């Protein structure tokens, strides 16, 4: 790559949106499944300072939490059903000779 080339970026930048005379908003997306655009975040340029704000999909975060809980519950239940963690106790009546 020569010094004049710009490295490729996987995201696509949207049209800049001017909020006021000091702030500009630039949305960033990427190609998702089947070529659909998926929002990644946005650059906010305010008074010459750029700030990156990522977009967090709360539905995906919640799904990961639920799946993690279900896997933990399934593994815990399988371990208890196979061999319980408490000791095996049997009651044996001592019928030895009485003195």
């Amino acid at each position: 790559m020569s010094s004049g080339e710009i490295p490729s970026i996987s995201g696509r930048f949207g049209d800049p949106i001017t909020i006021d005379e000091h702030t500009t908003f630039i949305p960033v997306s990427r190609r998702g499944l089947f070529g659909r655009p998926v929002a990644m975040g946005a650059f906010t340029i305010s008074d010459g300072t750029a700030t990156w704000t990522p977009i967090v999909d709360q539905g995906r975060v919640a799904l990961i939490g639920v799946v993690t809980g279900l896997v933990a519950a399934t593994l815990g239940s399988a371990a208890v059903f196979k061999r319980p963690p408490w000791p095996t106790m049997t009651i044996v009546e001592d019928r030895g000779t009485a003195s």
Side-chain angles (χ1 to χ4, degrees):
M1 176 179 347
S2 67
S3 61
E5 290 183 38
I6 297 174
S8 65
I9 299 172
S10 61
R12 297 185 61 107
F13 297 97
D15 294 330
I17 301 168
T18 304
I19 306 295
D20 56 23
E21 62 270 359
H22 301 288
T23 306
T24 304
F25 179 82
I26 303 171
V28 181
S29 64
R30 65 175 171 85
R31 284 190 157 197
L33 194 59
F34 305 114
R36 294 180 181 167
V38 176
M40 291 177 51
F43 281 108
T44 305
I45 303 170
S46 181
D47 295 326
T49 305
T51 306
W52 169 252
T53 307
I55 293 178
V56 179
D57 185 4
Q58 296 296 330
R60 182 175 287 179
V61 172
L63 179 64
I64 290 171
V66 168
V67 169
T68 302
L70 287 173
V71 168
T74 302
L75 291 175
S77 297
V80 168
F81 286 139
K82 182 177 180 187
R83 176 76 179 168
W86 50 86
T88 304
M89 298 179 65
T90 57
I91 299 175
V92 178
E93 202 173 308
D94 187 19
R95 295 189 181 211
T97 59
S99 47

